[in-house]
């Protein structure tokens, strides 16, 4: 077998929106928007530098729902550049960019192979330096956005070919619940198809499901929300004479998302807490001096500072101050090492003995018991939420938002509410003189 | 705990009292002021201390003095016996100085001494003093104090632990709701959520455009493709059409040329071939012909000029005489002005001479008519003559003056003389008239002399006096009669006197006045005369009047004698007028007889007489004055006449002297032949005139000499001129001729005119001479030109011959037989060369730069199409081209637009961040929603918990209270409810539902409060079960409820000691009846 090298990427989601960010300055916004293109640019550079023979992109190059012309044009440009270097590109469409979706009608250049939606075709990949056939690439695109069949089963090796076989599939292997279960299949299904490399897409979290044959999710190339934390990029796969692939991850992202937990336990006042936060930010800046970071702080633990956070809006004040600082930085185009705090998730609480309070025959005890009771039964939760948030249903936007809210989030609301109740009524129990 | 024994040493009105209390219910029954309430207070004080002096109403100092305090024995739940001794420590000052001794005897036999705090804790289970008062030792007043229930201490029992009455909960709830509403409120516009939602809606609208970019771009690509291909097709089409159009246009453009070209080709074929022909033959031939014509013309012109000039020369030959005279004329003409001056001078001198002569004559005439120039020269006018003349003049003048003065004096004298005679006449006349008047008036008086009359009158008067005296002694009757006559006469006399004075005054004054006014002497004399006459008349009048006055005699003495005397005297006086008195005596006789007897008549006559006498004496005076006046006038007249005579003599003497002098003067004049009668004053004038005359004579002589000279010069000039005139006798000018003859005929008279005519002749002659000079010059010019002409004429003839020779040569060269033939041949040759040239030019113009192939097709096109066909085809092709052009432009425009749109889209999508912004707003909304949800949920949780508390999970106290209240009201009310937060106490009626405690009746309210207190007491002292002490609480209870209350207390007394104080017998009895175990103690 002839050794060769290819690049595997997926879920470019070019020019797709960044969710969960509120109140960002125009400079930050433009940088964020540019980040997916920048990641694509990096991908092209990696492909060129690493001298790969071809590239496979396993779907979701862009989001049809966003209908971004910019995304399409920039992708075309990137393809053109790759073409100039003679790097062949194999492409399938995923659930976000199905074949029936809106896209640029220009014809794809010759060095780009786009697989159709009926069945996995076979296409031959050549080594760049000598044009030798090195691999058979198969793939299937999403004809429409929703593909619920197990399309993996339709894949089959090219009869008689002994070349390295690559399968391109956009789908949810082993039912990852965080993503839509499109094109569901199991690892076993894939292994049984006899391909040497499963170039998967759809799941944004990078993972290698299986070594031999390699079943790989490269993840997306640029994180786009707080759910997509950590380094993002692509795999450069070296296939040796024996036909065994060696994977090397290349970071492509320009904006790094992360969630940092920060315990308030042991903090005696607000200033200490702010110091803590700033320290963490400095740490991140040091860690990733060349990237822009978006960070969410999860404030956990129990301590007196919680009261300040919960009641006096200290978290919000600090957030806007931090954002202001970074916005100034962004104005200076000083994006490298910029740390944008996305928000504070206040999951902390007062330092109370929750268990004891649960036993207590008191108002708070009763309230906490009510809260816990509600947490445990979905109907009760729904009833409580519907009753409390009834006004929200009157507004279309909020209604939609409410209906989109997951059970998890609702539970977190409830927990926060219980904590807030305790915080607000807490003083009754402990120190009556501390009114207000 | 149970109170067993009270030992009151001194407390209020109680003194050394001991009370034992049993288990269960004890009723202290007694009248008012029996010490029931004091007992209650005593127990309170024993347990919690005696109140200080600052609070005397509760201190209960013993009224009788002595020890203040006592001992309380209490048994606790464990069987320990507590002995509390408490006394105030004497009377010293403030503070709660009390002696306290607490001992506990435990059942196990041990004894312990404890302090107040320990006691409160162990024995009373930590119940505070106030709470004890409020709940355990309650009087009616305290029962009704609802506030007590709201104290912190108790609300923790009424509500649940740590809720502080629920205020915080309510506040928290409210705050949460507010917070939530700040974030979001249905239909609110200002909330954060609303703003975000608005932004989202706006962005969503923009989204539509944002999403349209891609489809538009696709559309753009497709359209661009189509446009490009169409453009390509059209381009080819345009090229074809363009070629065709070019061909057609060319054909049309060159068609005219082409037609000419074709014609020229044809013509060329028809022309004869002439090989040789002199270059530019025709032109040259024509030039020669022209030259010949020119030369011929010149010859003819010169000949004509020659003849003209010759004729002119012959026409006017010059005048020979004039030519000869010329220089002389010029000289004379130059002297002409001096001649004219001479003549003018002569004329002036003549005038002057005449004037001199005239003046001389005048002077001569002025001296004397007979005088001539000789006399004039003869008259010397020496100084002696002048002296004599002056002397005569003086003599004459002095004579004149004297004569004049004397004449004037004489004249004065004469007039004075006349005046004097006039006044004499007047005086005489006045005297005469007075005499006459007197004669008339005093006729009755005897004509006696005036003296006599007066004498008589005096006598009469005396007589009358005497009579009156007698009368007085006799009777006064008679007196007045005499007076009356006298007075009337007196009045008359006065009148005359006055007139006379006036007349005299006038007579004197008038002459003076007349003198002054210068009136003529005659009238003055007349007036004086008249006045004088008048005076005289008056004078006479006066005398007349006076006379009778004198006549009546006055009688005096004794009456009789007196009267007689009177009568006598009167008779004497009046004797002259007897006839007259005939009548008067008649009357008087009547009177007189009467008078003698009666005095009246006498008196009256006496009075009359007196009057008469008075008038008479006045008249007499006048007569005398007039006479004197007449005498004065006569004397003056004589004096004046003498004077006049003297003067006349003087005058005649002067006259004689004068006549002598005059004769001498006459003689002198004659000697000098001067005119007679010339006065000496005129002589100096004569002398002056003579002098002037001599001067004039001298001037005359000078002028005459000068005139002579001038005359000679003029004549010389005129003679010279006349000689010329005669010389030119043939002069055709008539006037000069006439002048000459008239000059001959009338030499003296015509001298002046001849001079004029001579001058004008000279003028004319001179002018003719000038003309002639000019004419001579012109003739000379003509002569020279004629010479030149002749030479030129000769030259022209030579040139003409030369040209003719050349022409013949040319004709021969051109092979022509004659001039016309030569021209024809020349034209043919020229035409051919022209045609060839045109054809070449046209071909170049038509096909220049075109390749042969196209030229051929163009020729074919021209051959096959006429003009209209070409036009038609061209129009069609042009229209086609236009259409194609328009389409081409449209397509280009379209392509341009598409490209523009494409760029626009590219640009737009670069900047477009609507989707991201939308996402951001959604995130923001999410954050708001999170906050809202948490706040709302918290509020909901708290609210729900609150409701659980209020409704389901009532506190033990309230449950108990509800139970008790239900019992007390026998089921009327079911429940007692305390709302959270608002701390409202409510009772639930079995039918009416929840009622506010304030709305309950007094009894029911007290029952409610009692229930709560009982419940509280039950709850709070569960471990120690403090005794209950009630001071007459049931006074407002009806019987049924009282019974219910009592039975309730009975129930409670099982586990708790109860002490009731009452002053009502029925209460005590009912208690005793209902609670069998109750002990009733009367106090």
């Amino acid at each position: 077998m002839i050794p060769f090298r290819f690049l595997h990427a997926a879920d470019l989601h070019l020019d797709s929106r960044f969710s969960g960010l509120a109140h960002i300055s125009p400079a930050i916004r433009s940088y964020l928007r540019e980040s997916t293109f920048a990641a694509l640019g990096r991908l092209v550079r990696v492909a060129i530098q690493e001298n790969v023979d071809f590239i496979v992109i396993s779907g979701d190059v862009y989001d049809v729902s966003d209908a971004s012309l910019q995304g399409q044009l920039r992708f075309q440009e990137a393809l053109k550049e790759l073409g100039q270097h003679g790097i062949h590109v194999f492409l399938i469409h995923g659930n976000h960019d199905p074949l029936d979706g809106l896209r640029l009608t220009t014809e794809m250049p010759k060095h780009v192979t786009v697989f159709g939606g009926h069945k996995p075709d076979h296409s031959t990949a050549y080594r760049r330096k000598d044009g030798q056939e090195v691999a058979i690439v198969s793939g299937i695109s999403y004809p429409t956005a929703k593909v619920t069949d197990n399309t993996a089963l339709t894949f089959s090796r090219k009869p008689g070919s002994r070349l390295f076989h690559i399968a391109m599939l956009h789908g949810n292997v082993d039912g990852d619940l965080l993503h839509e279960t499109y094109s569901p299949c199991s690892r076993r299904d894939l292994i049984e198809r006899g391909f040497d490399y499963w170039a998967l897409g759809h799941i944004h979290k990078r993972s290698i499901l299986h070594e031999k044959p390699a079943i790989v999710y490269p993840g997306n190339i640029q994180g786009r929300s707080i759910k997509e934390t950590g380094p993002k990029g692509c795999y450069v796969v070296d296939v040796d004479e024996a036909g065994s692939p060696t994977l090397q991850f290349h970071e492509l992202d320009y904006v790094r998302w992360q969630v940092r937990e920060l315990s308030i336990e042991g903090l005696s006042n607000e200033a200490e807490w702010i110091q803590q936060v700033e320290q963490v930010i400095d740490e991140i800046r040091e860690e990733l001096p060349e990237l822009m970071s978006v960070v969410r702080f999860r404030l956990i633990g129990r301590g007196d500072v919680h009261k300040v956070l919960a009641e006096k809006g200290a978290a919000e004040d600090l957030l806007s101050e931090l954002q202001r600082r970074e916005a100034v930085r962004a104005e200076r185009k000083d994006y490298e090492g910029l740390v944008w705090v996305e928000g504070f998730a206040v999951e902390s609480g007062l330092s109370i003995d929750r268990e004891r309070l649960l036993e207590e025959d008191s108002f708070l005890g009763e309230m906490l018991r009510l809260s816990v009771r509600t947490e445990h039964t979905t109907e009760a939760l729904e009833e409580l939420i519907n009753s409390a948030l009834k006004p929200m249903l009157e507004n279309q936007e909020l209604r939609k938002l409410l209906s989109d809210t997951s059970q998890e989030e609702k539970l977190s609301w409830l927990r926060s509410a219980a904590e807030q109740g305790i915080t607000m009524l807490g003083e009754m129990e402990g120190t009556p003189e501390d009114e207000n | 705990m149970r109170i067993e024994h009270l030992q009151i040493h001194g407390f209020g009105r109680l003194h050394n009292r001991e009370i034992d209390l049993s288990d269960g219910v004890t009723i202290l029954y007694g009248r008012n002021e029996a010490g029931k309430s004091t007992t209650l207070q005593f127990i309170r004080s024993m347990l919690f201390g005696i109140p200080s002096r600052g609070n005397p109403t509760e201190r209960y100092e013993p009224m009788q003095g002595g020890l203040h305090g006592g001992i309380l024995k209490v048994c606790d739940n464990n069987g320990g016996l507590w002995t509390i001794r408490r006394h105030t420590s004497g009377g010293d000052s403030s503070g709660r100085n009390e002696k306290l001794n607490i001992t506990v005897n435990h059942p196990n036999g041990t004894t312990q001494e404890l302090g107040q705090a320990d006691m409160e804790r162990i024995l009373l289970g930590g119940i505070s003093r106030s709470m004890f008062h409020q709940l355990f030792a309650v009087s009616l007043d305290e029962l009704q104090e609802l506030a007590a229930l709201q104290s912190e201490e108790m609300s923790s029992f009424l509500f649940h632990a740590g809720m502080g009455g629920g205020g915080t909960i309510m506040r928290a709830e409210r705050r949460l709701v507010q917070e939530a509403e700040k974030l979001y409120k249905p239909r609110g516009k200002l909330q954060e959520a609303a703003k975000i939602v608005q932004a989202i809606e706006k962005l969503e609208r923009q989204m539509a455009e944002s999403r349209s970019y891609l489809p538009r771009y696709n559309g753009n690509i497709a359209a661009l493709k189509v446009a490009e291909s169409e453009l390509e097709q059209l381009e080819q089409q345009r090229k074809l059409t363009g070629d065709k159009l070019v061909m057609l246009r060319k054909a049309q453009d060159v068609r005219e040329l082409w037609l000419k070209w074709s014609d020229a080709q044809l013509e060329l074929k028809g022309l004869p071939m002439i090989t040789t022909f002199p270059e530019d033959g025709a032109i040259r031939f024509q030039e020669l012909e022209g030259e010949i014509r020119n030369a011929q013309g010149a010859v003819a012109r010169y000949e004509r000029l020659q003849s003209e000039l010759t004729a002119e020369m012959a026409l006017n030959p010059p005048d020979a005489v004039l030519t000869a005279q010329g220089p002389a004329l010029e000289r004379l003409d130059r002297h002409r002005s001096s001649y004219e001056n001479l003549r003018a001078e002569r004329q002036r001198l003549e005038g002057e001479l005449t004037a001199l002569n005239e003046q001389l004559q005048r002077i001569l005439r002025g001296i004397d008519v007979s005088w001539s120039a000789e006399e004039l020269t003869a008259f010397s006018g020496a100084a002696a003559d002048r002296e004599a003349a002056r002397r005569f003049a003086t003599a004459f003048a002095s004579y004149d003056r004297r004569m004049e003065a004397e004449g004037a004096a004489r004249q004065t004298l004469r007039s004075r003389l006349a005046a004097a005679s006039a006044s004499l006449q007047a005086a005489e006349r006045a005297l005469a008239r007075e005499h006459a008047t007197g004669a008339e008036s005093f006729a009755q008086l005897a004509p006696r002399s005036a003296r006599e009359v007066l004498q008589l009158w005096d006598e009469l008067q005396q007589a009358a006096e005497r009579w009156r005296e007698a009368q007085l002694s006799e009777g006064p009757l008679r007196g007045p009669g005499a007076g009356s006559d006298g007075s009337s006469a007196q009045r008359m006399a006065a009148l005359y006197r006055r007139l006379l004075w006036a007349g005299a005054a006038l007579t004197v004054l008038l002459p003076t006045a007349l003198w002054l006014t210068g009136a003529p002497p005659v009238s003055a004399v007349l007036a004086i005369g008249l006045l004088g006459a008048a005076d005289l008349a008056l004078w006479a009048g006066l005398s007349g009047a006076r006379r009778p006055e004198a006549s009546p005699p006055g009688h005096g003495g004794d009456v009789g004698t007196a009267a007689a005397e009177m009568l006598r005297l009167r008779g004497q006086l009046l004797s002259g007028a007897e006839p007259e008195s005939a009548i008067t005596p008649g009357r008087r006789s009547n009177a007189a007889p009467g008078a003698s007897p009666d005095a009246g008549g006498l008196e009256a006559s006496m009075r009359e007489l007196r009057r008469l006498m008075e008038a008479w004496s006045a008249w007499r005076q006048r007569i005398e004055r007039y006479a004197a006046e007449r005498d004065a006038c006569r004397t003056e007249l004589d004096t004046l006449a003498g004077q006049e005579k003297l003067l006349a003599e003087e005058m005649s003497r002067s006259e004689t002297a004068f006549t002598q002098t005059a004769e001498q003067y006459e003689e002198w004049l004659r000697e000098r032949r001067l005119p007679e009668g010339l006065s000496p004053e005129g002589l100096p004038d004569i002398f002056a005139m003579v002098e002037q005359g001599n001067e004039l004579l001298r001037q005359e002589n000078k002028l005459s000499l000068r005139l002579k000279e001038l005359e000679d010069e003029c004549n010389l000039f005129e003679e010279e001129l006349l000689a010329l005139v005669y010389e030119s006798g043939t002069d055709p000018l008539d006037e000069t001729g006439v002048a000459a003859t008239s000059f001959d005929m009338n030499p003296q008279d015509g001298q002046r005119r001849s001079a004029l005519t001579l001058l004008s002749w000279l003028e004319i002659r001179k002018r003719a001479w000038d003309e002639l000079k000019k004419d001579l010059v012109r003739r000379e010019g003509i002569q020279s030109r004629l010479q030149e002409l002749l030479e030129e004429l000769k030259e022209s003839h030579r040139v003409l011959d030369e040209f003719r020779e050349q022409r013949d040569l040319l004709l021969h060269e051109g092979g022509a037989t004659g001039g016309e033939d030569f021209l024809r041949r020349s034209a043919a040759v020229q035409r051919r060369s022209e045609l060839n040239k045109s054809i070449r030019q046209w071909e170049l113009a038509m096909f220049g730069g075109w390749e042969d192939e196209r030229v051929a097709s163009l020729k074919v096109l021209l051959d096959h199409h006429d003009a209209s066909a070409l036009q038609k085809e061209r129009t069609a092709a042009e229209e086609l081209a236009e259409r194609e052009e328009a389409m081409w432009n449209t397509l280009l425009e379209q392509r341009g637009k598409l490209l523009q749109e494409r760029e626009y889209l590219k640009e737009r999508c670069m900047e477009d961040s609507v989707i991201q912004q939308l996402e951001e707003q959604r995130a923001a909304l999410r954050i708001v929603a999170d906050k809202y949800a948490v706040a709302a949920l918290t509020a909901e949780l708290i609210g729900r918990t609150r409701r659980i508390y209020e409704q389901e999970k009532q506190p033990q106290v309230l449950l108990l209270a509800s139970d008790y209240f239900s019992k007390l009201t026998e089921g009327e009310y079911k429940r007692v409810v305390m709302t959270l937060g608002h701390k409202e106490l409510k009772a639930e009626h079995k039918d009416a539902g929840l009622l506010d405690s304030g709305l309950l009746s007094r009894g029911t309210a007290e029952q409610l409060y009692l229930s709560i207190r009982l419940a509280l007491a039950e709850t709070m002292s569960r471990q120690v079960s403090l005794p209950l002490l009630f001071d007459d609480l049931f006074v407002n209870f009806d019987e049924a409820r009282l019974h219910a209350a009592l039975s309730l207390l009975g129930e409670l007394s099982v586990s708790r000691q109860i002490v009731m104080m009452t002053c009502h017998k029925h209460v005590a009895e009912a208690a005793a009846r209902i609670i069998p175990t109750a002990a009733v103690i009367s106090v």
Side-chain angles (χ1 to χ4, degrees), chain B residues 277-304:
Chain B
F277 196 78
E279 196 71 14
D280 297 333
I283 297 163
R284 277 163 62 196
F285 178 74
Q286 272 165 1
E287 273 173 7
L288 282 174
E289 285 286 300
E291 294 286 349
I292 289 162
R293 266 197 305 280
N294 284 348
Q296 279 171 347
V299 169
R301 200 167 63 243
Y302 289 139
E303 278 167 355
R304 199 179 67 241

Side-chain angles (χ1 to χ4, degrees), chain B residues 81 171 668 724:
Chain B
L81 184 66
R171 272 202 300 284
W668 186 81
L724 284 178

Side-chain angles (χ1 to χ4, degrees), chain B residues 619-665:
Chain B
W619 178 73
R620 279 310 304 179
Q621 278 169 16
R622 274 197 315 268
I623 293 287
E624 281 163 26
R625 202 172 64 234
Y626 282 135
E629 231 171 82
R630 187 194 56 194
D631 292 343
C633 285
R634 203 169 281 159
T635 322
E636 199 183 352
L637 196 57
D638 291 343
T639 326
L640 286 175
Q643 275 177 6
E644 202 210 342
K645 208 170 163 191
L646 281 173
L647 198 56
E649 281 167 19
E650 178 74 19
M651 277 173 83
S652 66
R653 261 193 322 274
S654 299
E655 196 107 36
T656 330
F658 176 70
T659 316
Q660 247 176 329
T661 321
E663 275 168 13
Q664 284 173 0
Y665 182 59

Side-chain angles (χ1 to χ4, degrees), chain B residues 352-368:
Chain B
E352 254 177 51
L353 197 59
T354 326
L356 277 176
N357 276 325
E358 271 172 21
Q359 208 178 350
L360 191 61
Q361 288 305 315
R362 205 165 53 242
I363 287 169
L364 287 176
R365 268 197 312 275
I367 296 167
D368 196 86

Side-chain angles (χ1 to χ4, degrees), chain A residues 16-24 29 33 64-70 72-74 102-106 311 316 361-363 366-367 369-371 373 383-385 387-389 391-392 394-395 397-398 400-401 405 409 413-414 416-418 420-421 424-425 427-429 435, chain B residues 160-163 168-169 171-172 175-176 179 184 186-187 193 197 200 204 207 210-211 213-215 217-218 221 225 905-906 909-913 915-917 919-920 922-927 929-938 940-942 944-946 948-949 953 980:
Chain A
S16 66
R17 50 190 112 175
F18 288 73
S19 56
L21 287 174
H23 313 301
I24 59 178
R29 181 185 301 132
R33 187 174 182 223
V64 166
S65 60
D66 289 342
S68 164
L69 174 59
Q70 168 89 335
Q72 303 262 350
L73 291 171
R74 295 289 280 270
L102 186 63
R103 68 191 140 162
L104 216 54
T105 48
T106 47
E311 294 217 306
E316 279 164 37
D361 182 14
S362 66
F363 192 88
E366 193 64 44
M367 196 180 76
R369 281 195 291 278
L370 175 66
S371 160
R373 268 207 307 281
E383 188 272 328
L384 180 72
I385 282 176
S387 153
L389 307 183
M392 276 175 82
E394 294 196 24
N395 182 288
E397 203 67 36
L398 286 170
K400 202 169 79 193
L401 198 141
T405 308
E409 284 165 317
W413 283 350
L414 184 58
S416 297
Q420 192 170 0
M424 291 180 81
L425 301 175
E427 59 255 33
M428 300 191 325
E429 196 175 62
E435 273 290 311
Chain B
H160 286 268
M163 287 196 325
T168 320
I169 294 164
R171 272 202 300 284
R175 212 176 101 195
L176 284 166
E179 251 172 46
Y184 167 70
R187 285 179 296 282
V197 166
I200 286 174
E204 269 175 347
M207 265 292 276
S210 200
R211 280 179 197 282
Y213 294 150
L214 184 55
Y217 195 83
N218 280 337
I221 291 168
K225 213 171 187 176
L905 286 172
K906 273 184 184 172
C909 76
M910 289 259 279
E911 295 160 5
D912 180 43
S913 62
I915 293 174
Q916 182 57 38
Q917 284 182 41
E919 199 61 38
E920 285 163 25
R922 290 226 162 94
L925 187 63
R926 175 87 216 178
I927 291 168
D930 278 352
K931 282 204 260 180
Y932 176 81
V934 170
L937 277 174
T938 313
E940 183 73 17
L941 274 178
I942 292 174
R944 282 187 181 204
T945 315
R946 183 167 57 80
I948 291 171
Y949 260 69
K953 202 170 153 53
L980 281 175

Side-chain angles (χ1 to χ4, degrees), chain A residues 259-268 273 276-277 280 296-307 309-310 315 343-352 412 415-416 419:
Chain A
V259 177
R260 289 285 177 127
E261 285 187 358
L262 191 68
S263 173
I264 61 164
E265 255 161 62
L267 298 177
S268 55
W273 170 72
Q276 280 273 323
V277 171
V280 172
R296 174 187 282 185
F297 284 96
R298 279 181 65 211
L299 303 176
I300 52 164
R302 295 196 170 274
D304 292 340
V305 177
H306 175 77
K307 199 164 148 56
L309 297 177
F344 289 97
V346 182
E347 295 169 19
S348 57
L350 279 178
S351 56
I352 49 159
S412 108
R415 284 189 202 110
S416 297
E419 281 300 333

Side-chain angles (χ1 to χ4, degrees), chain A residues 81-154:
Chain A
E81 195 182 346
L82 289 171
Q84 280 162 0
H85 287 85
I87 299 171
H88 203 98
V89 179
F90 297 92
L91 199 62
I92 59 170
H93 287 270
N95 59 316
H96 279 114
D97 57 347
L99 288 171
D100 66 349
L102 186 63
R103 68 191 140 162
L104 216 54
T105 48
T106 47
E107 275 177 37
M108 279 294 179
K110 283 179 183 143
H111 68 279
V112 178
T113 304
V114 181
F115 291 102
H118 295 298
K119 57 182 180 61
D121 290 327
H122 293 110
S123 183
T124 312
Y126 301 91
R127 194 156 74 172
R128 260 208 299 161
K129 62 179 179 193
D130 48 13
Q132 283 203 55
E133 291 184 358
V134 287
I136 299 296
V137 183
S138 285
I140 187 163
S141 287
Y142 277 41
T144 59
K146 286 182 182 161
V147 173
T148 46
D149 300 336
N150 186 348
T151 45
L153 298 177
T154 59

